[in-house]
Amino acid sequence: MTPPEPRRRSASAHLAILEATWEEVVEKGYAGLTVEGIAARAGVGKQTVYRWWPSKAAVLLEALNARTAQTSDFPDTGDIAADLAGQITGVAEFLASDGGVVFKALLAGAQSDPELAEDIRRQVIEPRTQACADRLAKAQAAGELRADVDPVDIVELVYAPLYYRLILGTRPISAPDMRHQLDRVLAGLRA
Amino acid sequence: MTPPEPRRRSASAHLAILEATWEEVVEKGYAGLTVEGIAARAGVGKQTVYRWWPSKAAVLLEALNARTAQTSDFPDTGDIAADLAGQITGVAEFLASDGGVVFKALLAGAQSDPELAEDIRRQVIEPRTQACADRLAKAQAAGELRADVDPVDIVELVYAPLYYRLILGTRPISAPDMRHQLDRVLAGLRA
Amino acid sequence: MTPPEPRRRSASAHLAILEATWEEVVEKGYAGLTVEGIAARAGVGKQTVYRWWPSKAAVLLEALNARTAQTSDFPDTGDIAADLAGQITGVAEFLASDGGVVFKALLAGAQSDPELAEDIRRQVIEPRTQACADRLAKAQAAGELRADVDPVDIVELVYAPLYYRLILGTRPISAPDMRHQLDRVLAGLRA
Amino acid sequence: MTPPEPRRRSASAHLAILEATWEEVVEKGYAGLTVEGIAARAGVGKQTVYRWWPSKAAVLLEALNARTAQTSDFPDTGDIAADLAGQITGVAEFLASDGGVVFKALLAGAQSDPELAEDIRRQVIEPRTQACADRLAKAQAAGELRADVDPVDIVELVYAPLYYRLILGTRPISAPDMRHQLDRVLAGLRA
DNA sequence: ACTTAACCGAGACGGTACGTCGTGTCTTGGT
DNA sequence: ACCAAGACACGACGTACCGTCTCGGTTAAGT
């Protein structure tokens, strides 16, 4: 739900809404997240929220994006194992923090809202998947990894355990754990 | 004065509620699932729902369990790869059907309800995880797999891609895809 | 807007709403009268108001009726002038009190709501008009008044000055004033 | 530093607003009359309405005045009965048309707005009352009418039935009806 | 002819109330 | 005793207008 072109949109209200949304969801969880609550905490009329976003989930998505915008391209030191380990550590740390709570909330919301699901995929998942897949393709070309596996499948194998823990809550997400799992995945993919 | 366990619970109402819940969630999604809707479709008073379950999610969990109760123990043909492939095929087929929709709904609900999350883990995840981990331990003992990896970690590696697709919706869940991913995981775990 | 047959209607909520409505309208005027305010003061959910009345004006009408139900039949002492004077004094006193404020509010509301207008006519105006007209017809038969004027026209002549002052607010409604006006009307109607 | 009275008011916007107001109130009634609707129909910004009038009712009052400005002084043919009949016919015809709808709307609005009520009295009611009362005083001096009744009371008696029908809607306002009522009133007032 | 400031349309803003929906509890008959 | 039906207090929904507030863009004085 990218908001319409900001014609004469109030920057301060916009920002206050994103901040308020983040705080509300961290405090009260997704079920306790309310457009009314967001507007009240942001000191804004409800209409101002509805004017620019179609649902509370869309606000939440933008609030999340606003905090993770920088994470764009993938490192390339020539050592794919190290590069992946570095990335997965960062993601693990993010998901173990408030960011994880918010992201989980977003995924929950997406389940009843196909448009939101599509937006999450397009804005959050795909860019990162693509960057990672590109790096993996280079590693395959360099002979570091088997070339007979679709890089997108590798991305799935590498990141899936993170989401598994995030969603099922079987065990907490810890960076060392996730790196171990990464090692095991890579063990089956070497050239 | 010892009351008979389930006092005078109406079996027919109970069943009608589970059926109605399943249909409602498949038709309208989790967000459109309502105790009122369930009661109305089941031809039952709301109170009858509230009497036996704490929340709509709990009903949904029981509705799911009622449809998957049989799946309890893990096959053991002596060939761990074949056994895992068989299991994962079954799970993939289940999650690709209405069952997947309902399970996804349940996970969404669990995100705002720690008790439900705990119930899902205990009733759905852990028994299956345990059964699978036991089978994996036997395979390790038989020298089919590396013994230096916690079987629970292996379960995570093996099933995570399924949940990844279920939750993120990046690509549809297909049994052959999931078997390919399984092969790659196992490639890194052979003794 | 006669409320639907009170199937299992809560008598206490019903009453609290009527009381609250009266107080609210007296305190804040018709423009300040709010279903939300009524519900809050009555300690009742908004839905409970909407369940039984189609609009705030309908509640107000019933609140008014609840306070004037007794005023039904017309005295008959054999002296039409005295009987009319007695009645008009009572009405003047009522309209000069809080009742006037409420009644005026009701008329204002009726202006944008034809159904309410109809209800006011049927429940408030017509019964009283009819009773008065009947008494006037007897007076005509008894030779006290000209028989060539429709009694309903006489009712109009007799009561119109009251409404004139109520609505236009040119001068306050006072019982002696209204009796003087009555005298002048009757002066033209003697047999 | 004395600003020229109506500084640089746009005559066309002003007029468009009055027209739009009249049309809106006739179409949708007073309750459906909104400043937003007026501004939109007049092709004008809301601010332009608020700049010149304190409320929608004030606009309505001016819109009404703009259509009835001419009606100023009272005829004097020497026959008070004929003069009153002529006047009342005109008023009845006006009130039976769209003008009645608008005037009724205005009275409704005045009920929650004492300032508006005062304005209506001063601008609409009193000038006409005064003109009529003056003519009546002359009639009393000429011996056409009893001199022991305050002319303002007579105005009230004469016009009240009109307002009675306008507000209560018991019967439609028709010029012949109103003239009959006038006759009966005058019957009691002859010298 | 050229500033320059009031006025214009448009419409975003913080608010209040709307009338509706669903929650979870409570009450009333009926079986 | 338990049930269906549904009223109840409550809280959030998404919408409509309120009256105030910028925004540029005319437009008519007053130089």
Side-chain angles (χ1 to χ4, degrees):
Chain A
M1 267 328 90
T2 5
E5 50 150 340
R7 279 163 51 100
R8 280 219 312 290
R9 181 171 193 166
S10 155
S12 66
H14 187 170
L15 218 86
I17 288 167
L18 296 182
E19 289 255 329
T21 301
W22 185 274
E23 290 164 11
E24 287 278 306
V25 85
V26 166
E27 266 179 34
K28 313 188 184 166
Y30 185 67
L33 185 64
T34 284
V35 173
E36 221 147 67
I38 292 171
R41 188 192 280 248
V44 138
K46 279 202 288 178
Q47 191 63 236
T48 302
V49 178
Y50 284 113
R51 192 161 15 235
W52 304 111
W53 293 276
S55 70
K56 65 178 185 176
V59 194
L60 194 52
L61 173 55
E62 191 176 331
L64 187 76
N65 272 334
R67 297 232 176 179
T68 49
Q70 72 290 359
T71 330
S72 39
D73 42 28
F74 215 89
D76 184 352
T77 64
D79 177 353
I80 186 66
D83 291 351
L84 284 171
Q87 279 304 103
I88 225 163
T89 298
V91 177
E93 277 163 0
F94 176 73
L95 291 182
S97 71
D98 280 354
V101 174
V102 175
F103 191 56
K104 205 162 48 155
L106 215 37
L107 291 176
Q111 131 65 21
S112 343
D113 181 347
E115 274 190 60
L116 173 65
E118 186 58 28
D119 286 343
I120 294 174
R121 256 173 264 131
R122 262 214 269 276
Q123 295 177 34
V124 180
I125 306 302
E126 273 167 24
R128 289 164 175 80
T129 297
Q130 198 51 55
C132 185
D134 289 349
R135 176 69 188 83
L136 287 164
K138 273 203 259 180
Q140 290 176 322
E144 285 191 293
L145 296 178
R146 284 165 58 181
D148 65 339
V149 181
D150 182 345
V152 173
D153 283 350
I154 303 180
V155 175
E156 192 172 286
L157 287 169
V158 164
Y159 285 97
L162 263 166
Y163 292 103
Y164 181 93
R165 293 195 185 188
L166 180 70
I167 292 305
L168 298 185
T170 47
R171 292 179 289 178
I173 293 173
S174 89
D177 279 12
M178 297 338 285
R179 274 201 307 271
H180 279 129
Q181 293 291 52
L182 169 64
D183 289 344
R184 288 147 194 167
V185 167
L186 289 182
L189 295 171
R190 305 232 191 262
Chain B
M1 260 300 175
T2 32
E5 258 306 311
R7 303 240 276 239
R8 248 192 324 112
R9 176 171 197 165
S10 155
S12 68
H14 188 173
L15 220 87
I17 289 167
L18 296 183
E19 286 257 328
T21 302
W22 186 275
E23 290 164 11
E24 287 278 306
V25 85
V26 166
E27 266 179 35
K28 312 187 186 165
Y30 185 68
L33 185 66
T34 290
V35 173
E36 295 212 332
I38 292 171
R41 189 193 280 249
V44 139
K46 282 202 293 176
Q47 193 59 242
T48 304
V49 178
Y50 283 113
R51 206 180 338 259
W52 304 111
W53 292 275
S55 71
K56 66 178 184 177
V59 195
L60 194 51
L61 174 56
E62 190 174 332
L64 187 77
N65 272 332
R67 299 232 175 177
T68 50
Q70 70 290 359
T71 331
S72 40
D73 41 31
F74 216 89
D76 183 355
T77 64
D79 177 353
I80 186 65
D83 290 353
L84 284 172
Q87 278 303 105
I88 227 163
T89 299
V91 177
E93 277 162 0
F94 176 73
L95 292 182
S97 71
D98 279 355
V101 174
V102 175
F103 190 56
K104 207 162 46 154
L106 214 38
L107 291 176
Q111 130 63 21
S112 348
D113 180 348
E115 275 190 58
L116 173 66
E118 186 58 27
D119 287 346
I120 293 174
R121 256 173 263 131
R122 261 214 269 276
Q123 295 177 35
V124 181
I125 307 301
E126 273 167 23
R128 290 166 175 79
T129 298
Q130 199 51 57
C132 184
D134 289 349
R135 177 68 189 82
L136 287 164
K138 274 204 259 180
Q140 289 176 323
E144 284 191 293
L145 296 179
R146 284 164 59 179
D148 65 341
V149 182
D150 182 343
V152 173
D153 283 350
I154 303 180
V155 175
E156 192 172 284
L157 287 168
V158 164
Y159 284 98
L162 264 166
Y163 291 103
Y164 182 93
R165 292 195 185 188
L166 180 70
I167 293 305
L168 298 185
T170 47
R171 292 180 289 178
I173 292 173
S174 89
D177 279 12
M178 297 338 284
R179 273 202 307 272
H180 278 128
Q181 292 292 51
L182 169 65
D183 290 345
R184 287 145 195 169
V185 168
L186 290 182
L189 296 170
R190 304 228 193 267
Chain C
M1 266 326 92
T2 5
E5 49 151 338
R7 278 161 52 99
R8 280 217 314 291
R9 180 171 194 167
S10 154
S12 66
H14 187 170
L15 219 86
I17 289 167
L18 296 182
E19 289 255 327
T21 301
W22 186 275
E23 291 165 11
E24 287 277 306
V25 85
V26 167
E27 265 179 35
K28 312 188 185 164
Y30 185 67
L33 186 64
T34 282
V35 172
E36 220 146 67
I38 292 171
R41 189 192 279 247
V44 138
K46 280 202 289 178
Q47 191 63 233
T48 302
V49 178
Y50 284 114
R51 191 160 16 236
W52 304 111
W53 293 276
S55 70
K56 64 179 185 177
V59 194
L60 195 50
L61 173 55
E62 191 176 332
L64 187 76
N65 272 333
R67 298 233 176 179
T68 50
Q70 71 288 359
T71 331
S72 37
D73 42 30
F74 215 89
D76 183 354
T77 64
D79 176 353
I80 186 67
D83 291 351
L84 284 171
Q87 280 302 106
I88 227 163
T89 298
V91 177
E93 277 162 1
F94 175 74
L95 291 181
S97 71
D98 280 353
V101 173
V102 175
F103 191 55
K104 205 162 47 154
L106 215 37
L107 292 177
Q111 131 63 22
S112 345
D113 181 348
E115 274 190 60
L116 173 66
E118 185 59 27
D119 286 342
I120 294 174
R121 256 172 263 132
R122 261 213 268 277
Q123 295 176 35
V124 181
I125 307 302
E126 273 167 24
R128 289 165 174 80
T129 298
Q130 198 52 56
C132 183
D134 289 349
R135 176 68 189 84
L136 287 164
K138 273 204 261 181
Q140 288 176 323
E144 283 191 292
L145 296 178
R146 285 164 59 180
D148 65 341
V149 182
D150 182 343
V152 173
D153 284 349
I154 303 181
V155 175
E156 193 172 283
L157 287 169
V158 164
Y159 285 99
L162 264 166
Y163 292 103
Y164 182 92
R165 294 196 184 186
L166 180 70
I167 293 305
L168 298 185
T170 47
R171 292 179 290 179
I173 293 173
S174 90
D177 279 14
M178 297 338 284
R179 274 203 306 270
H180 279 128
Q181 293 291 51
L182 170 63
D183 289 344
R184 287 145 194 168
V185 168
L186 289 181
L189 296 169
R190 304 232 193 263
Chain D
M1 260 298 173
T2 32
E5 258 305 310
R7 302 244 275 241
R8 243 178 341 99
R9 177 169 195 165
S10 155
S12 67
H14 188 171
L15 219 87
I17 289 167
L18 295 182
E19 287 258 327
T21 301
W22 185 275
E23 289 165 12
E24 286 278 306
V25 85
V26 166
E27 266 179 34
K28 312 187 186 167
Y30 185 68
L33 186 65
T34 60
V35 173
E36 296 213 330
I38 293 171
R41 190 193 278 246
V44 138
K46 282 202 293 176
Q47 193 61 243
T48 303
V49 178
Y50 284 114
R51 202 176 346 253
W52 304 111
W53 292 275
S55 71
K56 65 178 185 177
V59 195
L60 194 51
L61 174 54
E62 189 175 332
L64 188 76
N65 272 334
R67 299 231 176 179
T68 50
Q70 72 290 359
T71 331
S72 39
D73 41 29
F74 215 89
D76 183 354
T77 65
D79 177 351
I80 186 65
D83 290 352
L84 283 172
Q87 279 304 104
I88 225 164
T89 298
V91 176
E93 278 162 0
F94 176 73
L95 291 183
S97 70
D98 279 354
V101 174
V102 174
F103 191 55
K104 208 163 43 155
L106 214 39
L107 292 176
Q111 131 63 23
S112 346
D113 180 349
E115 274 190 59
L116 173 65
E118 186 58 27
D119 287 345
I120 294 173
R121 257 173 264 130
R122 261 213 270 276
Q123 296 177 34
V124 181
I125 308 301
E126 274 166 24
R128 289 166 175 78
T129 298
Q130 199 51 56
C132 184
D134 289 349
R135 177 69 189 83
L136 288 164
K138 274 203 257 179
Q140 290 176 322
E144 285 191 292
L145 296 179
R146 286 165 58 179
D148 64 342
V149 182
D150 181 343
V152 173
D153 284 349
I154 304 181
V155 176
E156 193 171 284
L157 286 169
V158 164
Y159 284 98
L162 264 166
Y163 292 103
Y164 182 93
R165 293 196 185 187
L166 180 71
I167 292 305
L168 299 185
T170 47
R171 291 180 289 179
I173 293 174
S174 91
D177 279 12
M178 296 340 284
R179 273 202 308 271
H180 279 129
Q181 293 292 51
L182 170 64
D183 290 344
R184 288 145 194 169
V185 169
L186 290 181
L189 295 170
R190 304 228 193 266

